[in-house]
Structure formats: structure tokens, C-alpha cells
Amino acid sequence: MAPAADREGYWGPTTSTLDWCEENYAVTWYIAEFWNTVSNLIMIIPPIFGAIQSVRDGLEKRYIASYLALTVVGMGSWCFHMTLKYEMQLLDELPMIYSCCIFVYCMFECFKMKNSVNYHLLFILVLFSLIVTTVYLKVKEPVFHQVMYGMLVFTLVLRSIYIVTWVYPWLRGLGYTSLGLFLLGFLLWNIDNIFCDSLRNFRKKMPPIIGVATQFHAWWHILTGLGSYLHILFSLYTRTLYLKYRPKVKFLFGIWPVILFEPLRKH
């Protein structure tokens, strides 16, 4: 039998420009990277409920878009890791850029009148997205995408630090937890890339349950999915505070964070 990494499955030969450290078709013939695929559920299901709750609460459309954009990223990543096809890779990577642009817009519009639209910022972010898309389709260089995505994340980090330092210091816990989860995920992403051969050899010697725990790209999905979700909560908390609502972070079933709020009553 061929090594797990060389197995072919339902979707045929790999056409993506990236093939991660998880052994291909090792769990099932229908999914190329099983753990890298199912770990995306954290980016798909919770944001859908967040979007539904945002509609019910009458929140501004950009926050509904934020939740739905995160869901699209999760679905794109699911399709990419399931098939390892180039078209599905684009469905994963390009929405990462678009969703981050929505996050940036939300963060820089936190302290504006309700339902206001910043057409200048909107134009810049749409133009940025179009340029990145056009260049990436032409050069097909993953490092270019990673640098562009990193620039957007860095912008979000700087804006978040400004808010928790100068505007709402009591939001440090939420802001830094989101950032910390993202950075931990980024660390594991790098370990997975740099030490892939060692990780694969380790998995061959260990029981399957321990091997699963070393699927660090899957952990990247889980940690950054949760970090991104918390970032939306942080942005939403900041916004509703400015609009003089009473936001509160609650935990469904004692584990999953959501924001509940009520408008400030007028006397």
C-alpha cells in the first residue's frame, strides 16, 4: 500500500498550489484532509447563528455581513481541504481577504452615527480587494496572499489596541483574548509548515488519538475561527457601547460567548 501521504481519493490528483501537512485521504476516500476539513465547522455554524441573532436585534447590516463572511470563509476552507483543488483554494483564500476588509470597515466605523456609510473607506477596501484578487489570479503565489492578509490583520490589531488603550479599557479581556487565540493559531500554523516531516513521522509511531492532536493546521482553523468570532463580538460590543446600548457577553450552555443587549431607555 502506498504511504498515506500519497493516497489518491474521490477528488483525484491535487491541483492546488498548497498541500498541507495532514496525510491525504488517510481517514476517508471522500475527504482529502479530513481533520483540516471538519475543523472548519467552528467557522461555519456559530457565525450563522450570530447573523440570525443580528437580524433579530436589528443590528447594522455590516455586522450581519461580518458573521456571514466568516461563514463563507469556513465553507470555502471546507471545500479546499476536502478536495485540494485550485478552484476551491481560491474559494478559501479570497474570502479571507474580503471578510477582513469587512472587519476593518466595522472597526473604523465604530464611532459614527447609526447607519452612516463611509463611502471613501468603502471604496478603498473594495479597490484593495479587487487589486489583490486580480494580482493573485495572475501570479498564483500563496506568499502574496499571506502578506496581503497579514496586512489586514495587522491593521485590525492596531485598531483594537487603540480602542482598548484609549477608548474602552474594560474591553481588554475580550480584545486580547481574540488576539491571543489568533496568534496561538498562527504559531501552530508555522509549526505545522516547518516541522511537517517530523510531525508525520511522529504520527506513524503514536496512537491515532495522539496523532489527531498534532494536526496543527486543524488547530489553526479552530483557534483563528474562535478568534475571528470573538473579534466580531469585540467590534460589536464597541459599537453598541458607543450607541448607548447595554451590551453583555453571555455564555450559551456555559461555554459559547454571545452578545446580548438592549437599547438605553429614554425617560
Side-chain angles (χ1 to χ4, degrees), residues 85-215:
K85 293 297 183 182
Y86 176 67
E87 296 80 8
M88 298 300 105
Q89 179 182 347
L90 294 177
L91 194 61
D92 171 21
E93 293 176 330
L94 292 177
M96 290 171 65
I97 299 293
Y98 308 150
S99 63
C100 258
C101 283
I102 295 173
F103 295 168
V104 168
Y105 183 86
C106 289
M107 287 298 287
F108 280 87
E109 291 297 293
C110 279
F111 308 115
K112 300 290 179 67
M113 290 176 58
K114 189 173 182 180
N115 293 318
S116 64
V117 179
N118 185 337
Y119 290 103
H120 292 96
L121 180 57
L122 204 56
F123 174 78
I124 291 170
L125 292 171
V126 170
L127 181 62
F128 177 83
S129 298
L130 289 174
I131 291 173
V132 171
T133 300
T134 303
V135 173
Y136 191 45
L137 289 175
K138 220 167 180 50
V139 301
K140 298 182 180 180
E141 175 52 64
V143 174
F144 170 76
H145 168 267
Q146 291 160 10
V147 170
M148 294 299 102
Y149 179 66
M151 285 173 53
L152 290 170
V153 171
F154 185 65
T155 302
L156 288 172
V157 169
L158 289 181
R159 182 64 171 172
S160 300
I161 291 174
Y162 164 76
I163 289 173
V164 301
T165 303
W166 301 104
V167 187
Y168 297 137
W170 55 90
L171 291 184
R172 283 176 184 164
L174 184 56
Y176 288 150
T177 298
S178 169
L179 176 59
L181 288 170
F182 204 96
L183 290 177
L184 178 57
F186 183 62
L187 173 65
L188 295 180
W189 182 85
N190 279 286
I191 292 174
D192 192 70
N193 288 336
I194 297 169
F195 301 105
C196 181
D197 290 340
S198 299
L199 286 170
R200 287 191 169 193
N201 289 330
F202 177 78
R203 289 173 197 145
K204 291 176 184 176
K205 301 170 185 175
M206 293 292 112
I209 188 67
I210 296 178
V212 170
T214 65
Q215 298 289 355

